[in-house]
Amino acid sequence: MARGISFALVLFICCFLRGSTSDTSGNSSDINHDGLQDCKITVITAKVSSRGIPSTVHVRVERRVLDPYDEATVFTIVSAGDNSSETQHIHPDSGLVTEFDTQITTHLLGRSFYNISISGCSESKQFALFSIPAPLTLLPPLLTVLLAIVSQQVLLSLTCGVFAAALLSSAYNPVDAFITTLNSYFILPFLDPSKAGVIIFSCIMGGLIELMQTSGGAAGFTNKLSALASTTFHASLLTIGVSFAFFFDDYASIMICGRSLGSLVSLLGLSKQKFSFIVHMMAVIVTSLCPLSSWAGIQIGYIESAFKLTGLEVSGFSYLVQSIPYRFFVISSLLSVIVYVVINRDIVPMITYEEENLKKDAKLAGEGKSAEVTSDFASSVTSDEEAEEPKEEECCGKERWYNAIIPLVVLVGVSLLRMYYDGKEAILASGDDTPLTFINCASRCNSINCLVVGTAVSFLLTLVLIPIQRIMGLARCMTYFVDGVKSMSEPNMILILAWSLGEAMNDIHTSEYIALALGQSMPVEYFPALICVIGYAMSYASGSALGTQGILFPLVVPVIVRLSDSEEVYLKTVAAALSSSVFGNLCSPIADTTIAGVLFTECPMVDHLKVMSTFCVPLALLTLVFGDLLVGMTLYPSYASYLIILLLVVIVFGVFGRQPDQESVACSLWKRITKRHLGEKGSEAPGERTPLLSSV
């Protein structure tokens, strides 16, 4: 006991003496024996750097006492590996804490140690960086692309790509890589409010689409329009119009048009191949272009997160809208389909299918049979649970067009109004003199939050609208809503993994290495065309536009930001990634929209793929050359490329196309030239005279 008391007294006396010394020497408690000002140095850096690529090191200096005479802090980094040193002059902040970033370029492989010393600080800080060969940073994106092509599994490919990047960032330690993949990269997207908003929007949108379908709103609206069609030409125009009406989702548009219009267009003499072609093309194109569709939220998340990797804060909605004029493949496809239907001429192989369909209809008419077709696939969709409740199913079968139109009008109206007022508040809060136009407000608003509000209001209205009509109860509505949310699970998983891959590649400096390599060999004007080629190949192999975009955006956006500071180049790059990835959804045999188009229109798969490839592949090459390449080189504005492409499309269908049982203009001209030539040769023979054929 006495020893304890004695020890406590000695400790107290020591502390007292130390405090007395401090009091007598002013601030000498913050000065060590060398007279240097004491401070704490904190270094925040990645575990791994790429050799030859500058790596950012964040330094935080906490001073105990602020020296008013210290005009600049001399900051020195010494590399223990090659004895190189770097000195910088950093102006301190006004407070006791100074934070700044510096760049370190490692030239040795393996682990390198560095010492940081700062003037006015008694201590130095040591940290280590593990340097990997810079070309290895290409391994995660290449592995992702190759696995997507070989396995045709986007989710698995993205997961392997994230793990490969984590393996490099963990200094080749597989255990650390596994833990980093789960605890850092997979969880990180949920900590960002904007990314969480994207997931919420897509989920609500999926549930809303399911409610509009099951309440009979979509089918009722289609049946209202079907009374306007009386010929095959009208049937084609009607299909285009209905596709525009169901802009909110590609799969829903294919299903609604295929189920509701299939029998009608068959009675009007339109072949299944042409009907399937128009339905598939319009559904994918319109949905990909609309900034309020089920794709929009995911695409906005891709854009914003990709730019955030470079330190830039952009409006994803604004980029989505402003990039539309540069989406050459998508817009050219839309315009070409409309021109093709208006010209009403077909080329091989479509003309073959149209003639076969006419012969089949004529044969059925001669036998006194109807050409009506009933969809076995559509009639077999009913589940066992629905069959057990015939009364409820009868109510669900009512087709009321306003159950689709009212929610869509509310969705668009509330979203646009919220964008305006949210952007207006942001402009007024900033204090600048920006005019309060809708475009300016939409570019300054939080687009994801506005879309969430619009879809939520539309969903709540639908929950009131359906039960009051006694179509189905509230519990049944929620069941269908949950089914719709489940349908968005795969796109949301792809989105989360794409975010994770972007963060992982950012940690190992993949974009910096690509920018360094391309900056020395390829002009930035060719970059959109290069992205298109990669997007065409990846989307065809994977069959997923959103999956392809999830791989492209975190790879190409940081690269182009480092190669250029032009916003127009950024828009062209974003547009190239958005547009080229749609190619696979149109032509790939494993795309979900291709399978849906075949099933809901009852078109043979081989015939459908022949038609889609014949139309889309030449168009993709035309837009690559006259659009992304030449417009990227700023040879002419974007609208000029559409004029050139449309002129070529009109020439192809106008000259080489024909209607069934008729000759094309090119064929007629060829016959006239051939017969005239043969007639002239025959007239030279003795005793024979062949008159020239008159023009047809």
Side-chain angles (χ1 to χ4, degrees), residues 50 132-141 164 168 172 508 510 513:
S50 301
I132 61 174
L136 273 184
T137 59
L138 296 178
L139 177 62
L168 295 177
Y172 310 129
I508 60 175
T510 302
Y513 174 70

Side-chain angles (χ1 to χ4, degrees), residues 282-517:
M282 293 300 299
V284 175
I285 292 170
V286 172
T287 303
S288 67
L289 283 174
C290 180
L292 295 175
S293 68
S294 59
W295 288 25
I298 297 175
Q299 291 172 334
I300 290 173
Y302 285 152
I303 295 171
E304 292 183 350
S305 63
F307 276 100
K308 193 174 292 184
L309 294 174
T310 66
L312 296 179
E313 295 287 342
V314 301
S315 170
F317 182 83
S318 177
Y319 262 77
L320 198 65
V321 174
Q322 294 181 42
S323 66
I324 290 178
Y326 299 107
R327 300 192 212 175
F328 298 106
F329 174 70
V330 175
I331 294 184
S332 298
S333 299
L334 175 63
L335 297 176
S336 299
V337 171
I338 296 175
V339 168
Y340 161 67
V341 170
V342 171
I343 292 179
N344 199 20
R345 289 175 175 269
D346 299 304
I347 59 175
V348 176
M350 184 69 79
I351 187 62
T352 305
Y353 301 135
E354 286 289 289
E355 290 176 344
E356 291 177 355
N357 186 65
L358 284 179
K359 292 178 182 178
K360 183 184 70 174
D361 290 347
K363 183 178 179 180
L364 291 175
E367 296 174 356
K369 297 180 181 179
S370 173
E372 182 176 0
V373 178
T374 57
S375 175
D376 296 332
F377 178 80
S379 62
S380 64
V381 174
T382 358
S383 64
D384 295 337
E385 180 185 356
E386 293 171 342
E388 293 175 0
E389 300 177 5
K391 193 176 252 186
E392 184 118 22
E393 178 61 32
E394 183 181 350
C395 294
C396 293
K398 293 182 179 179
E399 299 174 353
R400 300 174 179 177
W401 59 269
Y402 44 81
N403 287 339
I405 298 303
I406 294 178
L408 288 179
V409 171
V410 171
L411 167 64
V412 175
V414 173
S415 298
L416 295 180
L417 283 175
R418 183 58 190 159
M419 287 179 184
Y420 175 76
Y421 285 106
D422 188 63
K424 180 181 177 181
E425 292 176 1
I427 293 175
L428 294 177
S430 64
D432 54 16
D433 298 330
T434 304
L436 297 178
T437 61
F438 177 78
I439 298 298
N440 293 334
C441 293
S443 63
R444 299 284 289 273
C445 72
N446 190 324
S447 54
I448 284 298
N449 289 353
C450 299
L451 291 175
V452 169
V453 171
T455 50
V457 172
S458 181
F459 165 64
L460 293 176
L461 177 65
T462 308
L463 280 185
V464 176
L465 192 63
I466 295 176
I468 23 177
Q469 301 175 70
R470 297 183 179 179
I471 296 177
M472 65 179 84
L474 188 61
R476 187 81 170 195
C477 288
M478 292 307 301
T479 300
Y480 283 122
F481 175 78
V482 172
D483 290 340
V485 173
K486 291 178 182 177
S487 68
M488 298 301 296
S489 59
E490 184 177 359
N492 281 335
M493 291 175 66
I494 292 175
L495 176 62
I496 293 170
L497 289 174
W499 286 334
S500 303
L501 181 62
E503 292 290 343
M505 290 193 301
N506 186 56
D507 287 345
I508 60 175
H509 311 291
T510 302
S511 59
E512 287 91 336
Y513 174 70
I514 297 176
L516 186 63

